[in-house]
Structure formats: structure tokens, C-alpha cells
Amino acid sequence: LFHARFEQAGLVDAIKDLIQDSDFHCRDSGIALRNMDNSQVAVVVILLEAGGFLPYHCDRRLNLGISLTSLTKIVHYAGDEATLALKANDNPDTFNLVLECLQTGCIIKYDIKSRDIDQEHLEIPKTDYAATITIPSAEFQRICRNLSQLLESVANEASEERIKFSSSGDIGSGSATLRHNSDLTGPIALTISLKYLVNFSKATALSYSVTLSLSSEVPQLVEYKVESGFARFYFAPQIGE
Amino acid sequence: PAGQGSLLSYFGQK
């Protein structure tokens, strides 16, 4: 039997534009998701430890293939305040999804067929980054959305005290600078697609702060801590000139 | 021209 109740259903909204469907690996320790977007440029890794759910019960390993497109529609109409419960019995072909709106007490139940998802197995090695910078998530989202209105990619430059997001395109250029208190092993400069950063920043509601881990020649990491877990977004570095 | 690398080359199954 598997039963998990989750109070941050907005997490689904944060990843739906990157991943259309995914296996959810359910273990006694918690739920994990690890998947790559179709263009192979971004990877989403989510870990929700059992302690973050009330209740959580999983007595055997279970992989649920879930359409995030469908899940998003279900969660969207329930609103941000809804809790989401997943239930599965010994038949892994279907699972139950229960949405509960705390304000009104309304309960919506679905029986969903588990999808058979042909998913790459990803091994994510431990990486030492040149810069690991934590900034307010709302500021990060504001910067990404603002610059992306006119421009397509952003160059990140970080020094001891400041991180600078600068961008240029046909219409001209723009930049945003933020103070930070993080440690750097040295100054760093790299370029990232704003379209993806805007996507990653949809996780803003999950956490007050976001941590950017940057190095020139390895995937960049954008991480949001959630209660008893995290949502991590990796982005491929640019290659060639 | 500069391009975006694939994450499979970093995270693909060993």
C-alpha cells in the first residue's frame, strides 16, 4: 500500500513546462523524480522525503508513471491551497489521486491509469562549483521575467559581492545586479538561456530563496529547497564558438 | 556557432 499527502501541490506547476510525463519513484524514504526535457538541455530532479508528507506510507518500491500535463490540470483547478494525496494498492496499473481544498473542505478523487514511460536513467555526479550563490527567489524570478521580455539569453557574472545578469539582443541590452553574501572560489562568467531560467523560476512559490551553482564547463544548477526535500534544475553549458 | 550541449553527455547512464 502506498499513501502520501502533500501540501505543496504548486510543485507540479513548476515542472510541467519542462517535462510532460515522468516516473515517480516511491520508496519508504520518500518520492523521487529525475527526468530530462525533450531537448536534453534541462534536467529536473525532485526529492520529497517521507517526513514532509502527512501521512506517508509506502511498504514496497513503486514506480508510478504520471502525466504531468494531466496532473497540472487537476491541480490547477483545485487552487494553490489544495493538498494532493497519492494512493496506490498492490495493482501498480492504476493509482488514486485525491485533492482536498482546505478552505472549502471539497474533496475530488480520481482513478488514474499509470503510464508506461520510456525514461532515460540519469546518473548525476557530485560537482564542485566555482560559485554557489543564494539570492531571494522572487528577485531571481523578477530579473528573469523582466530581461526575457526583450532578450533571449543572459550572461551571469559573479564576483565576491555581486551577481550580474546581463543580456543583449536586436533591440539593445539590459542588465540586473544583485548583492549576495556567498562564497566564490573566483570570478565567473557564463551564458544561460533566459527561456529556461524563466521556466525554472516558476518554482519561486516553493521557497524564499534560490541557490545558483555555477561553473563554466559543467551543467549549471538552480535549486529550490522545499520542506523535507528539494527541486533542482540542471542546465547544459554552451559548447563551441 | 556556439550551441547548447546535451545533458545526456554529462548525466547519461554509465
Side-chain angles (χ1 to χ4, degrees), chain A residues 153-197:
Chain A
S153 64
V154 65
N156 289 349
E157 290 172 51
S159 63
E160 290 286 321
E161 293 179 348
R162 291 179 177 272
I163 178 164
K164 181 178 180 186
F165 303 87
S166 55
S167 191
S168 61
D170 292 342
I171 64 117
S173 62
S175 72
T177 309
L178 265 183
R179 282 192 303 274
H180 68 82
N181 298 315
S182 314
D183 288 332
L184 272 68
T185 57
I188 180 163
L190 49 86
T191 304
I192 303 180
S193 156
L194 269 170
K195 185 183 91 175
Y196 279 91
L197 287 185

Side-chain angles (χ1 to χ4, degrees), chain A:
Chain A
L1 180 86
F2 172 74
H3 182 199
R5 185 164 170 268
F6 184 55
E7 295 186 351
Q8 288 181 297
L11 183 61
V12 178
D13 203 39
I15 58 174
K16 69 162 193 317
D17 292 326
L18 293 166
I19 290 169
Q20 282 68 52
D21 30 45
S22 183
D23 281 330
F24 284 58
H25 303 287
C26 308
R27 308 285 183 261
D28 60 357
S29 56
I31 299 177
L33 175 160
R34 180 180 291 197
N35 212 335
M36 185 179 280
D37 84 320
N38 286 336
S39 63
Q40 301 185 349
V41 166
V43 163
V44 179
V45 180
I46 289 173
L47 177 70
L48 303 169
E49 291 170 7
F53 297 90
L54 281 173
Y56 189 88
H57 181 79
C58 182
D59 58 11
R60 65 185 175 83
R61 297 161 72 91
L62 192 66
N63 292 336
L64 297 177
I66 298 180
S67 159
L68 287 164
T69 311
S70 304
L71 193 56
T72 303
K73 288 177 183 162
I74 292 170
V75 170
H76 177 75
Y77 287 107
D80 289 341
E81 300 300 317
T83 65
L84 179 64
L86 276 173
K87 293 181 184 179
N89 53 29
D90 288 338
N91 174 11
D93 295 337
T94 61
F95 59 91
N96 309 117
L97 202 62
V98 183
L99 273 166
E100 184 179 356
C101 179
L102 297 179
Q103 287 171 335
T104 63
C106 175
I107 293 173
I108 304 172
K109 292 183 180 175
Y110 291 89
D111 289 330
I112 310 255
K113 292 175 192 159
S114 182
R115 296 163 71 96
D116 188 11
I117 297 166
D118 183 21
Q119 188 173 320
E120 291 281 350
H121 178 76
L122 304 170
E123 286 291 338
I124 299 180
K126 276 211 159 205
T127 305
D128 291 325
Y129 293 94
T132 300
I133 295 168
T134 300
I135 54 177
S137 57
E139 290 287 20
F140 177 65
Q141 185 174 46
R142 189 185 353 253
I143 289 167
C144 294
R145 282 185 172 170
N146 201 314
L147 292 177
S148 70
Q149 296 300 308
L150 296 171
L151 308 161
E152 284 181 0
S153 64
V154 65
N156 289 349
E157 290 172 51
S159 63
E160 290 286 321
E161 293 179 348
R162 291 179 177 272
I163 178 164
K164 181 178 180 186
F165 303 87
S166 55
S167 191
S168 61
D170 292 342
I171 64 117
S173 62
S175 72
T177 309
L178 265 183
R179 282 192 303 274
H180 68 82
N181 298 315
S182 314
D183 288 332
L184 272 68
T185 57
I188 180 163
L190 49 86
T191 304
I192 303 180
S193 156
L194 269 170
K195 185 183 91 175
Y196 279 91
L197 287 185
V198 169
N199 261 333
F200 302 160
S201 71
K202 287 177 183 163
T204 294
L206 300 176
S207 176
Y208 169 76
S209 63
V210 57
T211 300
L212 312 178
S213 297
L214 311 170
S215 275
S216 298
E217 291 175 358
V218 298
Q220 292 99 51
L221 168 60
V222 177
E223 177 172 8
Y224 294 84
K225 293 257 193 284
V226 299
E227 193 183 343
S228 299
F230 56 75
R232 290 180 182 159
F233 302 93
Y234 292 88
F235 191 72
Q238 290 208 326
I239 50 168
E241 272 295 318

